[in-house]
Amino acid sequence: PWHAIFSAKGKKYSYRLFFETPTRFMDPLQRGDRYSEYRPVDMDMLREAAALFEGTHNFAAFAMKNTRGNAAKDPVRTIGKVDVIDEGDGSVRIDFYVNGALYKMIRNIVGCILQVATGRYTLEQTKELLRLGHAATRPMQLTAPAHGLCLEAVYYDDFPF
């Protein structure tokens, strides 16, 4: 029988960001829907770091330790595509097309991408986290705040990736 959760073939998550500068501030009405990053961000590094997550990987390093059930037994997930979209005036959206996500996986990935784009973490460290696939290898808190994340779509038949 059809089930809203178990019949899903894929999902699209979006994480919205705003990059502040000394002369550019986020609209106060967006504070609940976007995460505001005050550190300088290298957009090329942001895109390069985001691209590392495409494909099938063991995402245990990007899930919370209290993940239970089937997700804890099988942390392998597929991210079909990661799009970094510059919406202009400091607003950026990162779209993730996934076959399923672990608890806080998208927020931890966004946190890691931001650490790379702000120079606090390297691409090599990110590749190592993906390779090892274990939460104990995560050297710093990477979780991005929840208020930037939105489940945009659930695909039941035609998952584009």
Side-chain angles (χ1 to χ4, degrees):
W2 186 86
H3 190 281
I5 295 173
F6 301 118
S7 297
K9 303 286 187 243
K11 299 174 183 177
K12 175 187 174 186
Y13 287 95
S14 293
Y15 197 92
R16 288 176 171 78
L17 300 151
F18 184 82
F19 300 135
E20 293 196 19
T21 66
T23 59
R24 182 177 61 211
F25 301 97
M26 182 165 53
D27 179 348
L29 298 176
Q30 293 186 359
R31 290 244 180 245
D33 300 326
R34 285 188 189 273
Y35 170 60
S36 181
E37 177 61 60
Y38 60 91
R39 296 173 291 193
V41 174
D42 181 338
M43 284 299 289
D44 291 331
M45 287 301 284
L46 186 85
R47 285 186 172 88
E48 196 172 340
L52 291 177
F53 292 93
E54 292 181 353
T56 302
H57 304 282
N58 178 343
F59 284 101
F62 295 92
M64 297 311 284
K65 290 181 182 178
N66 59 349
T67 299
R68 296 184 292 266
N70 290 337
K73 293 176 194 163
D74 183 19
V76 176
R77 298 290 186 268
T78 299
I79 296 180
K81 187 175 182 184
V82 181
D83 283 332
V84 178
I85 300 154
D86 187 345
E87 298 178 320
D89 295 326
S91 294
V92 171
R93 187 179 82 236
I94 305 174
D95 291 339
F96 295 86
Y97 296 87
V98 300
N99 70 342
L102 303 169
Y103 182 58
K104 294 190 181 178
M105 179 178 110
I106 302 296
R107 289 173 53 200
N108 285 327
I109 289 172
V110 170
C112 183
I113 290 169
L114 283 173
Q115 294 293 335
V116 172
T118 57
R120 299 176 127 205
Y121 212 58
T122 66
L123 288 171
E124 289 70 31
Q125 289 171 302
T126 304
K127 289 176 190 174
E128 187 70 6
L129 276 176
L130 276 170
R131 189 184 68 74
L132 294 175
H134 191 275
T137 62
R138 196 170 58 221
M140 60 177 68
Q141 179 57 268
L142 297 176
T143 309
H147 61 268
L149 182 64
C150 182
L151 173 61
E152 297 280 341
V154 179
Y155 302 98
Y156 291 102
D157 294 320
D158 298 326
F159 183 53
F161 299 96

mmCIF file of all heavy atoms in Angstrom, residues 18-22 24 37-43 45-46 113-120:
data_model
loop_
_atom_site.group_PDB
_atom_site.id
_atom_site.type_symbol
_atom_site.label_atom_id
_atom_site.label_comp_id
_atom_site.label_asym_id
_atom_site.label_seq_id
_atom_site.Cartn_x
_atom_site.Cartn_y
_atom_site.Cartn_z
ATOM 1 N N PHE A 18 22.130 34.271 3.814
ATOM 2 C CA PHE A 18 22.370 35.671 3.477
ATOM 3 C C PHE A 18 23.774 36.004 3.948
ATOM 4 O O PHE A 18 24.138 35.733 5.094
ATOM 5 C CB PHE A 18 21.361 36.603 4.159
ATOM 6 C CG PHE A 18 21.543 38.034 3.747
ATOM 7 C CD1 PHE A 18 21.001 38.495 2.560
ATOM 8 C CD2 PHE A 18 22.274 38.914 4.524
ATOM 9 C CE1 PHE A 18 21.187 39.809 2.156
ATOM 10 C CE2 PHE A 18 22.468 40.225 4.142
ATOM 11 C CZ PHE A 18 21.915 40.677 2.947
ATOM 12 N N PHE A 19 24.579 36.573 3.058
ATOM 13 C CA PHE A 19 25.951 36.931 3.393
ATOM 14 C C PHE A 19 26.021 38.425 3.654
ATOM 15 O O PHE A 19 25.901 39.234 2.739
ATOM 16 C CB PHE A 19 26.905 36.513 2.271
ATOM 17 C CG PHE A 19 26.884 35.029 2.005
ATOM 18 C CD1 PHE A 19 26.827 34.542 0.724
ATOM 19 C CD2 PHE A 19 26.915 34.122 3.052
ATOM 20 C CE1 PHE A 19 26.804 33.171 0.477
ATOM 21 C CE2 PHE A 19 26.892 32.763 2.826
ATOM 22 C CZ PHE A 19 26.831 32.282 1.534
ATOM 23 N N GLU A 20 26.208 38.767 4.921
ATOM 24 C CA GLU A 20 26.255 40.177 5.321
ATOM 25 C C GLU A 20 27.633 40.759 5.093
ATOM 26 O O GLU A 20 28.638 40.061 5.135
ATOM 27 C CB GLU A 20 25.876 40.322 6.797
ATOM 28 C CG GLU A 20 24.442 39.963 7.065
ATOM 29 C CD GLU A 20 23.934 40.458 8.400
ATOM 30 O OE1 GLU A 20 24.539 41.384 8.985
ATOM 31 O OE2 GLU A 20 22.925 39.929 8.851
ATOM 32 N N THR A 21 27.665 42.050 4.846
ATOM 33 C CA THR A 21 28.905 42.817 4.753
ATOM 34 C C THR A 21 28.707 44.052 5.625
ATOM 35 O O THR A 21 27.592 44.317 6.086
ATOM 36 C CB THR A 21 29.203 43.243 3.295
ATOM 37 O OG1 THR A 21 28.204 44.167 2.870
ATOM 38 C CG2 THR A 21 29.250 42.047 2.353
ATOM 39 N N PRO A 22 29.753 44.845 5.846
ATOM 40 C CA PRO A 22 29.566 46.056 6.649
ATOM 41 C C PRO A 22 28.549 47.031 6.064
ATOM 42 O O PRO A 22 28.002 47.863 6.781
ATOM 43 C CB PRO A 22 30.963 46.677 6.682
ATOM 44 C CG PRO A 22 31.887 45.522 6.498
ATOM 45 C CD PRO A 22 31.160 44.583 5.568
ATOM 46 N N ARG A 24 25.902 45.846 3.892
ATOM 47 C CA ARG A 24 24.716 45.129 3.420
ATOM 48 C C ARG A 24 24.164 44.279 4.555
ATOM 49 O O ARG A 24 24.869 43.439 5.114
ATOM 50 C CB ARG A 24 25.090 44.251 2.226
ATOM 51 C CG ARG A 24 23.915 43.495 1.643
ATOM 52 C CD ARG A 24 24.294 42.688 0.424
ATOM 53 N NE ARG A 24 25.312 41.692 0.765
ATOM 54 C CZ ARG A 24 26.246 41.262 -0.070
ATOM 55 N NH1 ARG A 24 26.318 41.720 -1.282
ATOM 56 N NH2 ARG A 24 27.125 40.367 0.315
ATOM 57 N N GLU A 37 25.179 34.823 7.490
ATOM 58 C CA GLU A 37 26.605 34.566 7.714
ATOM 59 C C GLU A 37 27.341 35.896 7.641
ATOM 60 O O GLU A 37 27.248 36.603 6.645
ATOM 61 C CB GLU A 37 27.139 33.596 6.658
ATOM 62 C CG GLU A 37 28.617 33.307 6.754
ATOM 63 C CD GLU A 37 29.001 32.665 8.076
ATOM 64 O OE1 GLU A 37 28.495 31.583 8.387
ATOM 65 O OE2 GLU A 37 29.824 33.279 8.792
ATOM 66 N N TYR A 38 28.061 36.226 8.696
ATOM 67 C CA TYR A 38 28.756 37.515 8.780
ATOM 68 C C TYR A 38 30.212 37.437 8.327
ATOM 69 O O TYR A 38 30.833 38.446 8.047
ATOM 70 C CB TYR A 38 28.691 38.060 10.209
ATOM 71 C CG TYR A 38 29.338 37.135 11.212
ATOM 72 C CD1 TYR A 38 30.682 37.261 11.546
ATOM 73 C CD2 TYR A 38 28.622 36.102 11.798
ATOM 74 C CE1 TYR A 38 31.291 36.400 12.431
ATOM 75 C CE2 TYR A 38 29.222 35.239 12.695
ATOM 76 C CZ TYR A 38 30.545 35.389 13.006
ATOM 77 O OH TYR A 38 31.139 34.530 13.877
ATOM 78 N N ARG A 39 30.777 36.219 8.262
ATOM 79 C CA ARG A 39 32.171 36.068 7.830
ATOM 80 C C ARG A 39 32.251 36.154 6.309
ATOM 81 O O ARG A 39 31.324 35.736 5.611
ATOM 82 C CB ARG A 39 32.734 34.736 8.301
ATOM 83 C CG ARG A 39 32.812 34.613 9.817
ATOM 84 C CD ARG A 39 33.206 33.227 10.224
ATOM 85 N NE ARG A 39 32.101 32.312 9.899
ATOM 86 C CZ ARG A 39 32.001 31.070 10.345
ATOM 87 N NH1 ARG A 39 32.935 30.550 11.084
ATOM 88 N NH2 ARG A 39 30.975 30.321 10.027
ATOM 89 N N PRO A 40 33.349 36.655 5.770
ATOM 90 C CA PRO A 40 33.502 36.697 4.310
ATOM 91 C C PRO A 40 33.450 35.288 3.711
ATOM 92 O O PRO A 40 34.051 34.357 4.243
ATOM 93 C CB PRO A 40 34.880 37.321 4.104
ATOM 94 C CG PRO A 40 35.183 38.033 5.377
ATOM 95 C CD PRO A 40 34.482 37.277 6.461
ATOM 96 N N VAL A 41 32.716 35.150 2.616
ATOM 97 C CA VAL A 41 32.492 33.848 1.985
ATOM 98 C C VAL A 41 33.067 33.844 0.570
ATOM 99 O O VAL A 41 32.829 34.764 -0.206
ATOM 100 C CB VAL A 41 30.980 33.529 1.934
ATOM 101 C CG1 VAL A 41 30.715 32.261 1.155
ATOM 102 C CG2 VAL A 41 30.413 33.421 3.336
ATOM 103 N N ASP A 42 33.822 32.796 0.269
ATOM 104 C CA ASP A 42 34.356 32.579 -1.072
ATOM 105 C C ASP A 42 33.338 31.728 -1.834
ATOM 106 O O ASP A 42 33.195 30.524 -1.572
ATOM 107 C CB ASP A 42 35.706 31.872 -0.971
ATOM 108 C CG ASP A 42 36.363 31.613 -2.314
ATOM 109 O OD1 ASP A 42 35.657 31.573 -3.342
ATOM 110 O OD2 ASP A 42 37.597 31.440 -2.327
ATOM 111 N N MET A 43 32.613 32.345 -2.770
ATOM 112 C CA MET A 43 31.544 31.635 -3.489
ATOM 113 C C MET A 43 32.082 30.474 -4.329
ATOM 114 O O MET A 43 31.411 29.452 -4.467
ATOM 115 C CB MET A 43 30.764 32.606 -4.374
ATOM 116 C CG MET A 43 29.797 33.488 -3.612
ATOM 117 S SD MET A 43 28.519 32.565 -2.724
ATOM 118 C CE MET A 43 27.532 31.972 -4.081
ATOM 119 N N MET A 45 34.651 28.549 -3.544
ATOM 120 C CA MET A 45 34.891 27.466 -2.591
ATOM 121 C C MET A 45 33.563 26.872 -2.108
ATOM 122 O O MET A 45 33.469 25.658 -1.888
ATOM 123 C CB MET A 45 35.707 27.964 -1.397
ATOM 124 C CG MET A 45 37.158 28.227 -1.722
ATOM 125 S SD MET A 45 38.020 26.749 -2.331
ATOM 126 C CE MET A 45 38.241 25.852 -0.834
ATOM 127 N N LEU A 46 32.556 27.706 -1.951
ATOM 128 C CA LEU A 46 31.230 27.231 -1.546
ATOM 129 C C LEU A 46 30.709 26.227 -2.581
ATOM 130 O O LEU A 46 30.240 25.139 -2.224
ATOM 131 C CB LEU A 46 30.271 28.413 -1.408
ATOM 132 C CG LEU A 46 28.899 28.092 -0.851
ATOM 133 C CD1 LEU A 46 28.938 28.097 0.667
ATOM 134 C CD2 LEU A 46 27.875 29.093 -1.334
ATOM 135 N N ILE A 113 30.034 23.010 4.457
ATOM 136 C CA ILE A 113 30.263 23.822 3.257
ATOM 137 C C ILE A 113 30.614 25.256 3.651
ATOM 138 O O ILE A 113 31.531 25.867 3.088
ATOM 139 C CB ILE A 113 29.019 23.783 2.340
ATOM 140 C CG1 ILE A 113 28.860 22.396 1.722
ATOM 141 C CG2 ILE A 113 29.102 24.848 1.252
ATOM 142 C CD1 ILE A 113 27.524 22.188 1.028
ATOM 143 N N LEU A 114 29.896 25.798 4.632
ATOM 144 C CA LEU A 114 30.185 27.163 5.092
ATOM 145 C C LEU A 114 31.552 27.261 5.758
ATOM 146 O O LEU A 114 32.254 28.262 5.593
ATOM 147 C CB LEU A 114 29.100 27.645 6.063
ATOM 148 C CG LEU A 114 27.791 28.067 5.416
ATOM 149 C CD1 LEU A 114 26.749 28.358 6.480
ATOM 150 C CD2 LEU A 114 28.008 29.278 4.525
ATOM 151 N N GLN A 115 31.943 26.233 6.492
ATOM 152 C CA GLN A 115 33.273 26.239 7.114
ATOM 153 C C GLN A 115 34.365 26.288 6.041
ATOM 154 O O GLN A 115 35.365 26.982 6.199
ATOM 155 C CB GLN A 115 33.460 25.006 8.011
ATOM 156 C CG GLN A 115 32.563 24.961 9.217
ATOM 157 C CD GLN A 115 32.863 26.044 10.228
ATOM 158 O OE1 GLN A 115 33.972 26.562 10.316
ATOM 159 N NE2 GLN A 115 31.866 26.409 11.007
ATOM 160 N N VAL A 116 34.159 25.554 4.950
ATOM 161 C CA VAL A 116 35.126 25.568 3.848
ATOM 162 C C VAL A 116 35.128 26.937 3.165
ATOM 163 O O VAL A 116 36.181 27.523 2.903
ATOM 164 C CB VAL A 116 34.829 24.444 2.824
ATOM 165 C CG1 VAL A 116 35.702 24.585 1.583
ATOM 166 C CG2 VAL A 116 35.030 23.076 3.463
ATOM 167 N N ALA A 117 33.937 27.475 2.895
ATOM 168 C CA ALA A 117 33.817 28.738 2.158
ATOM 169 C C ALA A 117 34.316 29.928 2.959
ATOM 170 O O ALA A 117 34.648 30.964 2.381
ATOM 171 C CB ALA A 117 32.363 28.966 1.746
ATOM 172 N N THR A 118 34.384 29.793 4.279
ATOM 173 C CA THR A 118 34.902 30.883 5.120
ATOM 174 C C THR A 118 36.346 30.639 5.555
ATOM 175 O O THR A 118 36.885 31.400 6.352
ATOM 176 C CB THR A 118 34.014 31.100 6.360
ATOM 177 O OG1 THR A 118 33.928 29.878 7.101
ATOM 178 C CG2 THR A 118 32.628 31.579 5.969
ATOM 179 N N GLY A 119 36.962 29.565 5.054
ATOM 180 C CA GLY A 119 38.374 29.315 5.312
ATOM 181 C C GLY A 119 38.682 28.659 6.640
ATOM 182 O O GLY A 119 39.845 28.572 7.035
ATOM 183 N N ARG A 120 37.697 28.136 7.335
ATOM 184 C CA ARG A 120 37.938 27.500 8.627
ATOM 185 C C ARG A 120 38.144 25.998 8.513
ATOM 186 O O ARG A 120 38.488 25.340 9.492
ATOM 187 C CB ARG A 120 36.764 27.777 9.565
ATOM 188 C CG ARG A 120 36.571 29.242 9.815
ATOM 189 C CD ARG A 120 35.364 29.491 10.660
ATOM 190 N NE ARG A 120 35.776 30.313 11.781
ATOM 191 C CZ ARG A 120 35.170 30.361 12.932
ATOM 192 N NH1 ARG A 120 34.118 29.626 13.147
ATOM 193 N NH2 ARG A 120 35.610 31.143 13.890
#
